[in-house]
Amino acid sequence: MAAFSSLTDRLSTAFKHLKSKGKLSEADIDGTIREIRRALLDADVALDVVRSFTGRIRERALGTEVSQALNPAQQVVKIVNEELTAVLGAGVDRPLNFAKNPPTIIMLAGLQGAGKTTLAGKLGYWLKDSGHTPLLVAADLQRPNAVTQLQVVGERAGVPVYAPEKGVQSDGGEAVASPGLTTGDPVKVARDAVALAKQKLYDTVIIDTAGRLGVDEELMKQARNIRDAVQPNEILFVIDAMIGQDAVQTAKAFDEGVDFTGVVLSKLDGDARGGAALSVASVTGKPILFASTGEGLKDFEVFHPDRMASRILDMGDILTLIEQAQKQFDEEEARKAAVKISDGSFGLDDFLDQLQQVRKLGPMKNLLGMIPGMAAHRKELEQFDEKEIDRTEAIIRSMTPAERRDPSIIDGSRRARIAYGSGVTVSQVNALLQRFEQAAKMMKRMSNKVGAGMSGFGGPAMGGGKGKGKGKKGKKKSKSGNPMKREAEEKALRDKLAGKNSDGKSSGGSAFAKKPQNPALPAGLQDMMGDAGELPPNFGGGLSGLLH
């Protein structure tokens, strides 16, 4: 995420010099701790949090946990990952508290400009997508046009809005409302909204309350009055992830004022330093429940401390990627695509279908950002133009069905016609065809490596191939006539399939057994996943290169 990009780079640099060392001295550990401390302070993490965080890391790193480890550098990274997860709220993360007897009442609180109104729409959209029937309530009657904004957001999300009061309105954007001016009674609006929800059978009520440019008693009193009137099941404190050091004081003030039950981080897609996320949960002890990662209604996700820690340390977030893929991809279609890749019949029409499904996951930058090791390709990610996907789709849609199935028939005149029909140059069409051919070969090669030796994939190692000699069906001729050498070759093959090294020791499992197969993933993404479920570092470059 953009808010943590600087922190990710600094932490990666801090771990670099450890990789070449077989044993870590106290000086090595102190140097790493010093770099981590600087990275956290530069990210605007609260000083008290930094001190306790680095203190725990140093204590564990100097103990037997690292000194007796086979790979001390990786053990230090593991310790940092665990402590970072703890700072982000490990053990206190939980789902929303839904009422036993609906409606569930959720009240949003926070400073003005934190993104409460936009987040109300995102939360409503997320609840609706989860099978709930939410109702948005416009109880912010003092910020100019706040009610109108919530109505627009609610319409986009397809969620009804209860807005009996217009609130402060500017006259065509020219009139300026007086500071603190309020029209109507927000407490009455909130109370009436709950009564309406019970009558109309809405199971969730989301109340958007007023914010200010600073924390003051008037704001807190109004928020407490709304809280006391409706007795919400959840009071979510919405905080701007770019607020920096002031996050701690603001969070403490709201915790004392309204006693919020959970935190929502907004604007995690911003380019600020993002230290608020690393401070709020640790200081208040309240869980971070959600994170807002962009402007769109779908740029909203449940917050998982362990996954966020992995992203910050550039270890990726494959679990979230798989969860998103499971929601968007059709399992049967993914299986068919995988078969086409393995037998070489994967065409441009199949690629177009896969591309459209990938787009459902959200912006390509966010998708590629969940892949381990992508911090090294951040410059390429930032330069990635989402419109290239539209151009790619236009080129493919300008082809005939026969051309999509077999791109080899596309000659010069066909390329000129395709370029004219899609509004691009012939060189762009040529480039796409060349890259698709290279990508298809790569995916087929990787698919064959995965399928080699597995029943039904045609690999010779497990009898998948057809025997050419008569009476020798299923047998494979040895490369050597020497019985001892032949026996050694067969043993080496068995060890390879069993996941053993040349010395007979286990290498951690079979090359085929470790790979997690998830048919819900797009075929290309599935086949490029590594042994531990991660994607190779060059995957992002390859995918973006195919689209450029």
Side-chain angles (χ1 to χ4, degrees):
M1 293 184 179
F4 297 119
S5 58
S6 176
L7 179 59
T8 299
D9 293 339
R10 294 287 296 271
L11 291 177
S12 299
T13 303
F15 298 136
K16 264 184 182 178
H17 75 282
L18 298 178
K19 295 181 180 179
S20 60
K21 298 182 181 293
K23 186 176 181 180
L24 301 182
S25 65
E26 185 173 347
D28 293 329
I29 293 174
D30 286 341
T32 303
I33 298 296
R34 187 162 51 250
E35 289 299 319
I36 293 174
R37 184 185 298 112
R38 289 173 179 171
L40 294 173
L41 291 174
D42 186 60
D44 264 346
V45 180
L47 182 59
D48 292 342
V49 176
V50 174
R51 284 175 177 167
S52 60
F53 177 71
T54 53
R56 290 193 302 272
I57 293 176
R58 189 177 190 278
E59 181 181 352
R60 292 181 61 182
L62 290 175
T64 57
E65 189 174 351
V66 171
S67 63
Q68 296 181 0
L70 293 176
N71 192 321
Q74 290 185 3
Q75 192 67 21
V76 170
V77 175
K78 177 176 178 289
I79 290 173
V80 174
N81 182 41
E82 291 174 354
E83 294 297 335
L84 192 56
T85 302
V87 168
L88 288 169
V92 295
D93 53 319
R94 59 168 177 79
L96 278 175
N97 284 326
F98 288 99
K100 293 182 180 179
N101 298 315
T104 299
I105 304 171
I106 302 173
M107 174 181 163
L108 304 181
L111 297 178
Q112 184 172 319
K116 293 189 302 300
T117 303
T118 302
L119 190 126
K122 291 183 178 183
L123 181 58
Y125 181 87
W126 180 79
L127 287 168
K128 178 186 174 185
D129 192 51
S130 302
H132 295 275
T133 53
L135 173 69
L136 302 182
V137 181
D140 181 357
L141 306 180
Q142 76 180 34
R143 181 169 64 86
N145 301 319
V147 175
T148 304
Q149 181 188 355
L150 185 64
Q151 289 174 326
V152 172
V153 171
E155 184 178 357
R156 287 174 51 207
V159 178
V161 179
Y162 179 72
E165 301 282 353
K166 290 185 177 181
V168 176
Q169 296 285 326
S170 62
D171 185 13
E174 297 178 358
V176 180
S178 301
L181 177 64
T182 302
T183 63
D185 183 0
V187 178
K188 183 178 184 301
V189 170
R191 190 186 296 113
D192 292 346
V194 173
L196 177 68
K198 292 178 179 178
Q199 179 185 353
K200 299 293 185 179
L201 301 181
Y202 292 106
D203 68 358
T204 313
V205 176
I206 303 172
I207 303 175
D208 179 29
T209 64
R212 291 289 182 85
L213 297 177
V215 179
D216 56 30
E217 184 54 33
E218 184 180 350
L219 165 66
M220 292 303 177
K221 183 179 179 181
Q222 183 185 104
R224 281 195 297 268
N225 290 339
I226 295 176
R227 178 197 64 187
D228 295 340
V230 299
Q231 295 295 312
N233 302 93
E234 292 277 12
I235 302 176
L236 300 184
F237 172 50
V238 184
I239 187 168
D240 188 339
M242 301 188 292
I243 196 173
Q245 287 280 351
D246 195 42
V248 174
Q249 298 303 323
T250 304
K252 285 182 177 179
F254 271 90
D255 193 20
E256 294 171 0
V258 295
D259 190 23
F260 60 81
T261 59
V263 180
V264 180
L265 293 174
S266 64
K267 306 180 185 179
L268 273 182
D269 57 321
D271 56 0
R273 291 171 285 188
L278 302 180
S279 305
V280 174
S282 179
V283 170
T284 64
K286 304 295 176 67
I288 301 175
L289 299 182
F290 300 101
S292 176
T293 58
E295 294 293 330
L297 287 170
K298 294 182 180 180
D299 298 332
F300 177 81
E301 60 187 49
V302 177
F303 186 88
H304 298 280
D306 53 341
R307 301 184 191 182
M308 185 58 67
S310 294
R311 292 193 203 184
I312 293 174
L313 295 177
D314 195 27
M315 296 162 64
D317 189 359
I318 294 299
L319 284 177
T320 298
L321 183 59
I322 290 175
E323 286 177 359
Q324 292 183 3
Q326 286 175 330
K327 290 180 181 178
Q328 301 296 339
F329 283 88
D330 181 81
E331 184 174 330
E332 185 60 31
E333 291 299 321
R335 290 185 186 279
K336 291 179 181 178
V339 171
K340 287 186 176 181
I341 289 175
S342 63
D343 63 18
S345 62
F346 190 81
L348 281 165
D349 49 353
D350 301 305
F351 172 68
L352 181 61
D353 292 339
Q354 293 284 300
L355 189 61
Q356 289 173 335
Q357 292 190 64
V358 169
R359 296 195 73 174
K360 295 178 182 178
L361 300 179
M364 192 66 70
K365 292 180 182 178
N366 294 349
L367 172 64
L368 297 177
M370 296 181 190
I371 300 171
M374 287 308 294
H377 303 279
R378 182 170 292 113
K379 186 176 181 181
E380 291 88 339
L381 284 179
E382 292 301 323
Q383 294 175 349
F384 182 79
D385 184 7
E386 296 284 343
K387 291 183 179 179
E388 283 295 333
I389 303 178
D390 297 327
R391 299 187 188 101
T392 301
E393 287 190 4
I395 293 173
I396 298 176
R397 291 186 185 281
S398 296
M399 301 177 185
T400 65
E403 292 169 344
R404 296 180 194 176
R405 286 191 300 270
D406 184 11
S408 63
I409 67 173
I410 303 179
D411 54 18
S413 61
R414 289 175 183 260
R415 294 176 191 232
R417 188 203 78 239
I418 293 169
Y420 181 80
S422 56
V424 300
T425 63
V426 175
S427 61
Q428 287 177 290
V429 176
N430 292 337
L432 173 63
L433 293 174
Q434 291 172 3
R435 287 193 294 268
F436 175 77
E437 182 180 359
Q438 294 170 358
K441 288 180 180 178
M442 180 184 68
M443 287 191 290
K444 183 180 179 181
R445 185 164 60 248
M446 296 183 75
S447 176
N448 288 339
K449 286 182 179 180
V450 173
M454 295 183 69
S455 176
F457 279 84
M462 297 291 284
K466 296 180 179 179
K468 291 183 180 180
K470 294 182 179 180
K472 298 180 180 180
K473 187 176 291 185
K475 293 185 179 180
K476 183 180 178 182
K477 187 178 180 181
S478 173
K479 293 182 180 180
S480 174
N482 188 316
M484 294 183 66
K485 189 173 182 181
R486 182 169 66 247
E487 182 180 354
E489 288 177 350
E490 292 174 351
K491 182 178 184 301
L493 178 59
R494 289 195 300 271
D495 289 346
K496 182 178 180 182
L497 294 175
K500 295 182 179 179
N501 297 321
S502 58
D503 59 0
K505 295 181 179 180
S506 174
S507 62
S510 168
F512 311 122
K514 285 175 64 179
K515 181 172 179 181
Q517 293 294 311
N518 192 310
L521 284 173
L525 200 61
Q526 175 68 66
D527 291 326
M528 293 181 185
M529 292 188 73
D531 289 342
E534 78 281 358
L535 289 158
N538 62 346
F539 170 73
L543 183 55
S544 61
L546 180 61
L547 298 173
H548 275 286

